[in-house]
Amino acid sequence: QLPLVESGGGLVQPGGSLRLACSASGFTLVDYTITWFRQAPGKEREEISCLSPGGGIYNYAGPLFGRTTSSRDNAENTMYLQMNSLKPEDTAIYYCAARRARLCQRGSEGYDFWGQGTQVTVSS
């Protein structure tokens, strides 16, 4: 079983919402910082937000800033990313990554686990 699996992506109309899930297996999510990234075709990977073991949420400046809410269900060993007011330019593959650390750090290096990604398509 893969250590991190994203789900919840799909096709949504502009203005709609999606809740992505990042489920962990083989390790305890609460011991790791979990960061959401996305990557659209031909574009660089973008950081969206990070949730620290202590519950701190860091929403990074960028196109999705102000339109996301992060949460964690410790019993389910799963982190969620709620995205609202979606736009066609939000179309991308969304990834979560886990790093065993107490604090969130910028950048895409040094992660212990990456998920395989979930496709989000915003289109009418």
Side-chain angles (χ1 to χ4, degrees):
Q1 197 166 2
L2 296 175
L4 275 180
V5 177
E6 301 94 338
S7 61
L11 176 64
V12 63
Q13 291 188 343
S17 298
L18 280 176
R19 189 176 77 156
L20 306 184
C22 174
S23 299
S25 298
F27 67 98
T28 304
L29 207 63
V30 74
D31 293 333
Y32 291 70
T33 65
I34 306 297
T35 302
W36 283 98
F37 295 84
R38 73 179 186 183
Q39 188 163 22
K43 295 188 177 181
E44 292 187 356
R45 185 180 297 166
E46 295 179 300
E47 292 171 285
I48 300 170
S49 69
C50 180
L51 177 62
S52 72
I57 298 172
Y58 302 88
N59 296 311
Y60 299 125
L64 271 171
F65 185 79
R67 295 189 286 130
T68 64
T69 303
S70 297
S71 61
R72 185 176 61 214
D73 186 328
N74 294 338
E76 295 293 327
N77 213 24
T78 298
M79 179 186 173
Y80 298 98
L81 181 71
Q82 175 73 37
M83 303 189 296
N84 302 316
S85 302
L86 287 166
K87 306 173 184 179
E89 50 265 43
D90 295 320
T91 295
I93 299 175
Y94 286 70
Y95 301 88
C96 62
R99 173 164 45 204
R100 190 173 180 94
R102 293 181 59 192
L103 300 175
C104 292
Q105 295 174 273
R106 298 301 304 268
S108 58
E109 302 296 322
Y111 284 90
D112 298 286
F113 305 110
W114 284 86
Q116 83 288 354
T118 185
Q119 176 71 47
V120 171
T121 302
V122 185
S123 175
S124 56

Coordinates of all heavy atoms in Angstrom, one line a residue, residues 9-97:
G9 N -10.3 14.4 -6.3 CA -10.2 15.3 -7.5 C -11.3 14.9 -8.5 O -12.1 13.9 -8.2
G10 N -11.4 15.7 -9.5 CA -12.4 15.4 -10.5 C -12.7 16.6 -11.3 O -12.0 17.6 -11.3
L11 N -13.9 16.6 -12.0 CA -14.3 17.7 -12.9 C -15.3 18.5 -12.1 O -16.3 18.0 -11.5 CB -15.0 17.1 -14.1 CG -15.6 18.1 -15.1 CD1 -14.5 19.1 -15.6 CD2 -16.3 17.4 -16.2
V12 N -15.1 19.8 -12.0 CA -16.0 20.7 -11.3 C -16.2 21.9 -12.2 O -15.3 22.4 -12.9 CB -15.4 21.0 -9.9 CG1 -14.1 21.8 -10.0 CG2 -16.4 21.8 -9.1
Q13 N -17.3 22.5 -12.1 CA -17.6 23.8 -12.8 C -17.0 25.0 -12.2 O -16.8 25.0 -10.9 CB -19.1 24.0 -12.9 CG -19.8 23.0 -13.8 CD -21.3 23.3 -14.1 OE1 -21.9 24.1 -13.3 NE2 -21.9 22.7 -15.1
P14 N -16.7 26.0 -12.9 CA -16.1 27.2 -12.3 C -17.1 27.7 -11.2 O -18.3 27.7 -11.4 CB -16.1 28.2 -13.5 CG -15.9 27.3 -14.7 CD -16.7 26.1 -14.4
G15 N -16.4 28.1 -10.1 CA -17.2 28.6 -9.0 C -17.5 27.5 -8.0 O -18.0 27.7 -6.9
G16 N -17.3 26.3 -8.4 CA -17.6 25.1 -7.5 C -16.5 24.9 -6.5 O -15.5 25.6 -6.4
S17 N -16.7 23.8 -5.7 CA -15.8 23.4 -4.6 C -15.4 22.0 -4.7 O -16.1 21.2 -5.3 CB -16.5 23.7 -3.3 OG -16.8 25.0 -3.1
L18 N -14.3 21.7 -4.2 CA -13.8 20.3 -4.0 C -13.1 20.1 -2.7 O -12.5 21.1 -2.2 CB -12.8 19.9 -5.1 CG -13.4 19.5 -6.5 CD1 -12.2 19.3 -7.5 CD2 -14.3 18.3 -6.5
R19 N -13.2 18.9 -2.1 CA -12.4 18.6 -1.0 C -11.5 17.5 -1.3 O -12.0 16.4 -1.6 CB -13.3 18.3 0.2 CG -12.5 18.1 1.5 CD -13.3 17.9 2.7 NE -13.8 16.5 2.8 CZ -14.1 15.8 3.9 NH1 -14.1 16.5 5.1 NH2 -14.5 14.6 3.9
L20 N -10.2 17.7 -1.3 CA -9.2 16.7 -1.5 C -8.8 16.1 -0.2 O -8.8 16.7 0.8 CB -8.0 17.3 -2.2 CG -8.2 18.1 -3.5 CD1 -6.9 18.6 -4.1 CD2 -9.0 17.3 -4.5
A21 N -8.5 14.8 -0.3 CA -8.0 14.1 0.9 C -6.6 13.5 0.6 O -6.3 13.1 -0.5 CB -9.0 12.9 1.2
C22 N -5.9 13.5 1.7 CA -4.5 12.9 1.6 C -4.4 11.9 2.8 O -4.4 12.3 4.0 CB -3.5 14.0 1.8 SG -1.8 13.5 2.0
S23 N -4.5 10.6 2.4 CA -4.6 9.6 3.4 C -3.2 8.9 3.6 O -2.6 8.5 2.6 CB -5.6 8.5 3.0 OG -6.9 9.1 2.9
A24 N -2.8 8.6 4.8 CA -1.5 8.0 5.1 C -1.6 6.6 5.5 O -2.6 6.2 6.2 CB -0.8 8.8 6.1
S25 N -0.7 5.8 5.1 CA -0.6 4.4 5.6 C 0.8 4.1 6.0 O 1.8 4.5 5.3 CB -1.0 3.4 4.4 OG -2.3 3.6 4.0
G26 N 1.0 3.4 7.1 CA 2.3 3.0 7.5 C 3.0 4.0 8.4 O 4.1 3.7 8.9
F27 N 2.4 5.2 8.6 CA 3.0 6.1 9.5 C 1.9 7.0 10.0 O 0.8 7.0 9.4 CB 4.1 7.0 8.8 CG 3.6 7.9 7.7 CD1 3.4 9.2 7.9 CD2 3.4 7.4 6.4 CE1 2.9 10.1 6.9 CE2 2.9 8.2 5.4 CZ 2.7 9.6 5.6
T28 N 2.2 7.8 11.0 CA 1.1 8.6 11.6 C 1.2 10.0 11.1 O 2.2 10.7 11.3 CB 1.3 8.6 13.2 OG1 1.2 7.2 13.6 CG2 0.2 9.3 13.8
L29 N 0.2 10.4 10.5 CA 0.2 11.7 9.8 C 0.5 12.9 10.8 O 1.2 13.9 10.4 CB -1.2 12.0 9.1 CG -1.2 12.8 7.9 CD1 -0.4 12.3 6.8 CD2 -2.7 13.1 7.5
V30 N 0.1 12.8 12.0 CA 0.2 13.9 12.9 C 1.7 14.1 13.3 O 2.0 15.2 13.9 CB -0.7 13.6 14.2 CG1 -0.1 12.6 15.1 CG2 -0.9 14.9 14.9
D31 N 2.5 13.2 13.0 CA 4.0 13.4 13.3 C 4.7 14.1 12.2 O 5.9 14.3 12.3 CB 4.6 12.0 13.6 CG 4.1 11.3 14.8 OD1 3.7 12.0 15.7 OD2 4.1 10.1 14.9
Y32 N 4.0 14.4 11.1 CA 4.6 15.0 9.9 C 4.0 16.3 9.6 O 2.8 16.6 9.9 CB 4.5 14.0 8.8 CG 5.3 12.8 8.9 CD1 5.0 11.8 9.8 CD2 6.4 12.6 8.0 CE1 5.7 10.6 9.9 CE2 7.1 11.4 8.1 CZ 6.8 10.4 9.1 OH 7.5 9.3 9.2
T33 N 4.8 17.2 8.9 CA 4.2 18.3 8.2 C 3.7 17.8 6.9 O 4.3 17.0 6.2 CB 5.2 19.4 8.0 OG1 6.2 19.0 7.1 CG2 5.8 19.9 9.3
I34 N 2.5 18.2 6.5 CA 1.9 17.8 5.3 C 1.6 19.1 4.4 O 1.0 20.0 4.8 CB 0.5 17.1 5.5 CG1 0.6 16.0 6.5 CG2 -0.1 16.7 4.2 CD1 1.5 14.9 6.0
T35 N 2.2 19.0 3.2 CA 2.1 20.2 2.3 C 1.3 19.7 1.1 O 1.6 18.6 0.5 CB 3.5 20.7 1.9 OG1 4.2 21.1 3.1 CG2 3.4 21.9 1.0
W36 N 0.5 20.6 0.6 CA -0.2 20.4 -0.6 C 0.5 21.2 -1.7 O 0.8 22.4 -1.5 CB -1.7 20.9 -0.6 CG -2.6 19.9 0.1 CD1 -3.0 19.9 1.4 CD2 -3.2 18.8 -0.5 NE1 -3.8 18.9 1.7 CE2 -4.0 18.1 0.5 CE3 -3.2 18.2 -1.7 CZ2 -4.7 17.0 0.3 CZ3 -3.9 17.0 -2.0 CH2 -4.7 16.4 -0.9
F37 N 0.7 20.6 -2.9 CA 1.2 21.2 -4.0 C 0.3 21.0 -5.2 O -0.6 20.2 -5.2 CB 2.6 20.6 -4.4 CG 3.7 20.7 -3.4 CD1 3.8 19.8 -2.4 CD2 4.6 21.7 -3.6 CE1 4.8 19.9 -1.4 CE2 5.7 21.8 -2.7 CZ 5.8 20.9 -1.6
R38 N 0.5 21.7 -6.3 CA -0.2 21.5 -7.5 C 0.8 21.8 -8.7 O 1.7 22.6 -8.5 CB -1.5 22.3 -7.7 CG -1.2 23.7 -7.9 CD -2.6 24.4 -8.1 NE -2.4 25.8 -8.5 CZ -3.4 26.7 -8.7 NH1 -4.7 26.3 -8.4 NH2 -3.2 27.9 -9.0
Q39 N 0.5 21.1 -9.8 CA 1.3 21.3 -11.0 C 0.4 21.2 -12.2 O -0.2 20.2 -12.4 CB 2.5 20.4 -11.1 CG 3.5 20.7 -12.2 CD 4.8 20.0 -12.0 OE1 4.9 19.0 -11.4 NE2 5.8 20.6 -12.7
A40 N 0.4 22.3 -12.9 CA -0.4 22.3 -14.2 C 0.6 22.0 -15.3 O 1.8 22.3 -15.2 CB -1.0 23.7 -14.4
P41 N 0.1 21.5 -16.4 CA 0.9 21.2 -17.6 C 1.7 22.4 -18.0 O 1.2 23.5 -18.2 CB -0.1 20.8 -18.7 CG -1.2 20.3 -17.9 CD -1.3 21.2 -16.7
G42 N 3.0 22.2 -18.2 CA 3.9 23.3 -18.6 C 4.2 24.4 -17.6 O 4.9 25.3 -17.9
K43 N 3.8 24.1 -16.4 CA 4.1 25.1 -15.3 C 4.9 24.5 -14.2 O 4.9 23.3 -14.0 CB 2.8 25.7 -14.8 CG 2.0 26.5 -15.8 CD 0.8 27.2 -15.1 CE 0.1 28.1 -16.2 NZ -1.1 28.8 -15.5
E44 N 5.5 25.3 -13.4 CA 6.2 24.9 -12.2 C 5.3 24.4 -11.1 O 4.1 24.8 -11.0 CB 7.1 26.0 -11.7 CG 8.3 26.3 -12.6 CD 9.3 27.3 -12.0 OE1 9.0 27.7 -10.9 OE2 10.3 27.5 -12.7
R45 N 5.8 23.5 -10.3 CA 5.0 23.1 -9.1 C 4.8 24.3 -8.1 O 5.7 25.0 -7.9 CB 5.8 22.0 -8.4 CG 5.0 21.3 -7.3 CD 5.9 20.2 -6.7 NE 6.1 19.1 -7.6 CZ 7.0 18.2 -7.5 NH1 7.8 18.2 -6.4 NH2 7.2 17.3 -8.3
E46 N 3.6 24.4 -7.6 CA 3.3 25.4 -6.7 C 2.9 24.9 -5.3 O 2.2 23.8 -5.2 CB 2.1 26.2 -7.1 CG 2.2 27.0 -8.4 CD 0.9 27.7 -8.8 OE1 -0.1 27.0 -9.0 OE2 0.9 28.9 -8.9
E47 N 3.4 25.5 -4.3 CA 3.0 25.2 -2.9 C 1.6 25.8 -2.6 O 1.5 27.0 -3.0 CB 4.0 25.6 -1.9 CG 5.3 24.9 -2.0 CD 6.4 25.5 -1.1 OE1 6.9 26.6 -1.5 OE2 6.6 24.9 0.0
I48 N 0.7 25.1 -1.9 CA -0.6 25.7 -1.6 C -0.7 26.0 -0.1 O -1.0 27.1 0.3 CB -1.7 24.7 -2.1 CG1 -1.6 24.5 -3.6 CG2 -3.1 25.3 -1.7 CD1 -2.5 23.4 -4.0
S49 N -0.5 24.9 0.7 CA -0.6 25.1 2.1 C 0.1 24.0 2.8 O 0.4 23.0 2.2 CB -2.1 25.2 2.5 OG -2.7 23.9 2.4
C50 N 0.4 24.3 4.1 CA 1.1 23.3 4.9 C 0.4 23.2 6.3 O 0.0 24.2 6.8 CB 2.6 23.6 5.1 SG 3.5 22.5 6.1
L51 N 0.3 22.0 6.8 CA -0.3 21.8 8.1 C 0.8 21.1 9.0 O 1.4 20.1 8.6 CB -1.5 20.8 8.0 CG -2.1 20.4 9.3 CD1 -2.7 21.6 10.1 CD2 -3.3 19.4 9.1
S52 N 1.1 21.7 10.1 CA 2.2 21.2 10.9 C 1.6 20.2 12.0 O 0.4 20.2 12.2 CB 2.9 22.4 11.7 OG 2.0 22.9 12.7
P53 N 2.5 19.4 12.6 CA 2.0 18.5 13.6 C 1.3 19.2 14.8 O 0.3 18.7 15.3 CB 3.3 17.9 14.1 CG 4.2 17.9 13.0 CD 3.9 19.2 12.3
G54 N 1.7 20.4 15.1 CA 1.0 21.2 16.1 C -0.3 21.8 15.7 O -1.0 22.4 16.6
G55 N -0.7 21.6 14.5 CA -1.9 22.2 14.0 C -1.8 23.5 13.3 O -2.9 24.1 12.9
G56 N -0.6 24.0 13.2 CA -0.5 25.3 12.5 C -0.7 25.1 11.0 O -0.3 24.2 10.4
I57 N -1.5 26.1 10.5 CA -1.8 26.0 9.0 C -1.2 27.2 8.3 O -1.4 28.4 8.8 CB -3.3 26.0 8.8 CG1 -4.0 24.8 9.5 CG2 -3.7 26.1 7.3 CD1 -5.5 24.8 9.5
Y58 N -0.4 27.0 7.3 CA 0.2 28.0 6.6 C -0.3 28.0 5.1 O 0.0 27.1 4.4 CB 1.8 27.8 6.6 CG 2.3 27.7 8.0 CD1 2.3 26.5 8.7 CD2 2.7 28.9 8.7 CE1 2.8 26.5 10.0 CE2 3.2 28.8 10.0 CZ 3.2 27.6 10.6 OH 3.7 27.6 11.9
N59 N -1.0 29.0 4.8 CA -1.6 29.1 3.5 C -0.6 30.1 2.7 O -0.5 31.2 3.0 CB -3.0 29.7 3.5 CG -3.9 28.8 4.2 OD1 -4.0 27.6 3.9 ND2 -4.7 29.3 5.1
Y60 N 0.0 29.5 1.7 CA 1.0 30.3 1.0 C 0.4 31.2 0.0 O -0.6 30.9 -0.7 CB 2.0 29.3 0.3 CG 2.7 28.4 1.3 CD1 2.7 27.0 1.2 CD2 3.4 29.0 2.4 CE1 3.4 26.2 2.1 CE2 4.1 28.2 3.3 CZ 4.1 26.8 3.2 OH 4.7 26.0 4.1
A61 N 1.1 32.3 -0.2 CA 0.6 33.3 -1.2 C 0.6 32.7 -2.6 O 1.6 32.1 -2.9 CB 1.5 34.6 -1.1
G62 N -0.4 32.9 -3.3 CA -0.5 32.4 -4.7 C -1.9 32.4 -5.1 O -2.8 33.0 -4.5
P63 N -2.2 31.8 -6.3 CA -3.5 31.9 -6.9 C -4.6 31.4 -6.0 O -5.8 31.8 -6.1 CB -3.4 31.1 -8.2 CG -1.9 31.2 -8.5 CD -1.2 31.2 -7.2
L64 N -4.3 30.4 -5.2 CA -5.4 29.8 -4.3 C -5.5 30.4 -3.0 O -6.4 30.1 -2.2 CB -5.1 28.3 -4.1 CG -5.7 27.3 -5.2 CD1 -5.2 25.9 -5.0 CD2 -7.2 27.3 -5.1
F65 N -4.7 31.4 -2.7 CA -4.7 32.0 -1.3 C -6.1 32.6 -1.0 O -6.6 33.3 -1.9 CB -3.6 33.1 -1.3 CG -3.5 33.7 0.1 CD1 -2.8 33.0 1.1 CD2 -4.1 34.9 0.4 CE1 -2.7 33.6 2.4 CE2 -4.0 35.5 1.7 CZ -3.3 34.8 2.7
G66 N -6.6 32.3 0.1 CA -7.9 32.8 0.5 C -9.1 31.9 0.1 O -10.2 32.2 0.5
R67 N -8.8 30.9 -0.7 CA -9.9 30.0 -1.1 C -9.7 28.6 -0.7 O -10.4 27.7 -1.1 CB -9.9 30.0 -2.7 CG -10.2 31.4 -3.3 CD -10.4 31.3 -4.8 NE -9.2 31.2 -5.5 CZ -9.0 30.3 -6.5 NH1 -10.0 29.4 -6.8 NH2 -7.9 30.2 -7.1
T68 N -8.8 28.3 0.3 CA -8.6 27.0 0.8 C -8.8 26.9 2.3 O -8.5 27.9 3.0 CB -7.2 26.4 0.4 OG1 -6.2 27.2 1.1 CG2 -7.0 26.5 -1.1
T69 N -9.2 25.7 2.8 CA -9.2 25.4 4.2 C -8.6 24.1 4.4 O -9.0 23.1 3.7 CB -10.6 25.4 4.7 OG1 -11.2 26.7 4.5 CG2 -10.6 25.2 6.2
S70 N -7.6 24.0 5.3 CA -7.0 22.7 5.6 C -7.5 22.1 6.9 O -7.7 22.9 7.9 CB -5.5 22.9 5.7 OG -5.0 23.3 4.4
S71 N -7.6 20.8 7.0 CA -7.9 20.2 8.3 C -7.3 18.8 8.3 O -6.9 18.3 7.3 CB -9.5 20.1 8.4 OG -10.0 19.4 7.3
R72 N -7.4 18.2 9.5 CA -6.8 16.9 9.7 C -7.7 16.1 10.6 O -8.2 16.5 11.6 CB -5.4 17.0 10.3 CG -4.6 15.7 10.4 CD -3.2 15.9 11.0 NE -3.3 16.5 12.3 CZ -2.4 17.4 12.7 NH1 -1.4 17.8 11.9 NH2 -2.5 17.9 13.9
D73 N -7.9 14.8 10.2 CA -8.7 13.9 11.0 C -7.7 12.8 11.5 O -7.3 11.9 10.7 CB -9.8 13.2 10.1 CG -10.7 12.3 10.9 OD1 -10.2 11.7 11.9 OD2 -11.9 12.2 10.6
N74 N -7.3 13.0 12.7 CA -6.3 12.1 13.3 C -6.8 10.6 13.3 O -6.0 9.7 13.1 CB -5.8 12.5 14.7 CG -5.1 13.9 14.6 OD1 -4.6 14.2 13.6 ND2 -5.1 14.6 15.7
A75 N -8.0 10.4 13.6 CA -8.6 9.1 13.7 C -8.5 8.4 12.3 O -8.3 7.2 12.2 CB -10.0 9.1 14.2
E76 N -8.7 9.2 11.3 CA -8.7 8.6 9.9 C -7.3 8.7 9.3 O -7.1 8.2 8.2 CB -9.6 9.4 9.0 CG -11.1 9.2 9.4 CD -11.6 7.8 9.2 OE1 -11.1 7.1 8.2 OE2 -12.4 7.3 10.0
N77 N -6.3 9.3 10.0 CA -5.0 9.5 9.5 C -5.0 10.2 8.1 O -4.3 9.8 7.2 CB -4.2 8.2 9.4 CG -2.7 8.3 9.7 OD1 -2.3 9.2 10.3 ND2 -2.0 7.3 9.2
T78 N -5.8 11.2 8.0 CA -6.1 11.8 6.7 C -6.1 13.4 6.9 O -6.6 13.9 7.9 CB -7.4 11.4 6.2 OG1 -7.4 10.0 5.9 CG2 -7.7 12.1 4.8
M79 N -5.5 14.0 5.9 CA -5.6 15.5 5.9 C -6.5 15.9 4.7 O -6.5 15.2 3.7 CB -4.2 16.1 5.7 CG -4.2 17.6 5.6 SD -2.6 18.3 5.2 CE -3.0 20.0 5.0
Y80 N -7.2 17.0 4.9 CA -8.1 17.5 3.8 C -7.8 18.9 3.4 O -7.3 19.7 4.2 CB -9.6 17.5 4.4 CG -10.0 16.1 4.8 CD1 -10.0 15.7 6.1 CD2 -10.5 15.2 3.8 CE1 -10.4 14.4 6.5 CE2 -11.0 14.0 4.2 CZ -10.9 13.6 5.5 OH -11.3 12.3 5.9
L81 N -8.0 19.1 2.1 CA -7.9 20.5 1.6 C -9.2 20.8 0.9 O -9.5 20.3 -0.2 CB -6.7 20.5 0.5 CG -6.5 21.9 -0.1 CD1 -5.9 22.8 0.9 CD2 -5.6 21.8 -1.3
Q82 N -9.9 21.7 1.5 CA -11.2 22.2 0.9 C -10.8 23.4 0.0 O -10.1 24.4 0.4 CB -12.1 22.7 2.0 CG -13.4 23.3 1.6 CD -14.4 22.3 1.0 OE1 -14.5 21.2 1.4 NE2 -15.1 22.8 -0.1
M83 N -11.2 23.4 -1.2 CA -11.0 24.4 -2.2 C -12.3 25.0 -2.7 O -13.2 24.2 -3.1 CB -10.2 23.9 -3.4 CG -8.9 23.3 -3.0 SD -7.8 22.9 -4.4 CE -8.9 21.7 -5.2
N84 N -12.5 26.3 -2.6 CA -13.7 26.9 -3.0 C -13.5 27.9 -4.2 O -12.3 28.3 -4.5 CB -14.3 27.7 -1.8 CG -14.5 26.8 -0.6 OD1 -15.0 25.7 -0.8 ND2 -14.1 27.2 0.5
S85 N -14.6 28.3 -4.8 CA -14.6 29.3 -5.9 C -13.5 28.9 -6.9 O -12.7 29.8 -7.3 CB -14.3 30.7 -5.3 OG -15.2 31.1 -4.3
L86 N -13.6 27.7 -7.3 CA -12.6 27.2 -8.3 C -12.7 27.9 -9.6 O -13.8 28.2 -10.1 CB -12.7 25.7 -8.4 CG -12.2 25.0 -7.1 CD1 -12.6 23.5 -7.2 CD2 -10.6 25.1 -7.1
K87 N -11.5 28.1 -10.3 CA -11.5 28.7 -11.6 C -10.8 27.8 -12.6 O -10.1 26.9 -12.2 CB -10.6 30.0 -11.4 CG -11.1 30.9 -10.4 CD -10.1 32.1 -10.2 CE -10.5 33.0 -9.0 NZ -9.5 34.1 -8.8
P88 N -11.0 28.0 -13.8 CA -10.4 27.1 -14.8 C -8.8 27.1 -14.6 O -8.2 26.0 -14.9 CB -10.7 27.8 -16.2 CG -12.1 28.4 -15.9 CD -12.0 28.9 -14.5
E89 N -8.2 28.1 -14.2 CA -6.8 28.1 -14.0 C -6.3 27.3 -12.8 O -5.1 27.2 -12.6 CB -6.2 29.6 -13.9 CG -7.0 30.5 -12.9 CD -8.1 31.3 -13.6 OE1 -8.8 30.8 -14.4 OE2 -8.2 32.5 -13.2
D90 N -7.3 26.8 -12.1 CA -6.9 25.9 -11.0 C -6.8 24.5 -11.4 O -6.4 23.6 -10.7 CB -8.0 26.0 -9.9 CG -8.1 27.3 -9.2 OD1 -7.0 27.9 -8.9 OD2 -9.2 27.8 -8.9
T91 N -7.0 24.2 -12.7 CA -6.9 22.9 -13.3 C -5.4 22.5 -13.2 O -4.5 23.2 -13.6 CB -7.3 22.9 -14.7 OG1 -8.7 23.1 -14.8 CG2 -7.0 21.5 -15.4
A92 N -5.2 21.3 -12.5 CA -3.8 20.9 -12.3 C -3.9 19.5 -11.6 O -5.0 19.0 -11.2 CB -3.1 21.8 -11.4
I93 N -2.7 18.9 -11.4 CA -2.6 17.7 -10.6 C -2.2 18.2 -9.2 O -1.3 19.0 -9.1 CB -1.6 16.7 -11.1 CG1 -2.0 16.2 -12.5 CG2 -1.5 15.5 -10.2 CD1 -1.0 15.3 -13.2
Y94 N -3.0 17.7 -8.2 CA -2.7 18.2 -6.8 C -2.1 17.0 -6.1 O -2.5 15.9 -6.1 CB -4.0 18.6 -6.2 CG -4.5 19.9 -6.7 CD1 -5.0 20.0 -8.0 CD2 -4.5 21.0 -5.9 CE1 -5.4 21.3 -8.5 CE2 -4.9 22.2 -6.3 CZ -5.4 22.4 -7.6 OH -5.8 23.6 -8.1
Y95 N -1.0 17.4 -5.4 CA -0.2 16.4 -4.6 C -0.1 16.8 -3.2 O -0.1 17.9 -2.8 CB 1.3 16.3 -5.2 CG 1.4 16.0 -6.6 CD1 1.4 17.0 -7.6 CD2 1.6 14.7 -7.0 CE1 1.6 16.7 -8.9 CE2 1.8 14.4 -8.3 CZ 1.8 15.4 -9.3 OH 2.0 15.1 -10.6
C96 N 0.0 15.7 -2.3 CA 0.4 16.0 -0.9 C 1.7 15.3 -0.7 O 2.1 14.3 -1.3 CB -0.7 15.5 0.0 SG -1.0 13.8 0.0
A97 N 2.4 15.9 0.3 CA 3.8 15.4 0.6 C 4.0 15.5 2.1 O 3.5 16.5 2.7 CB 4.9 16.2 -0.1

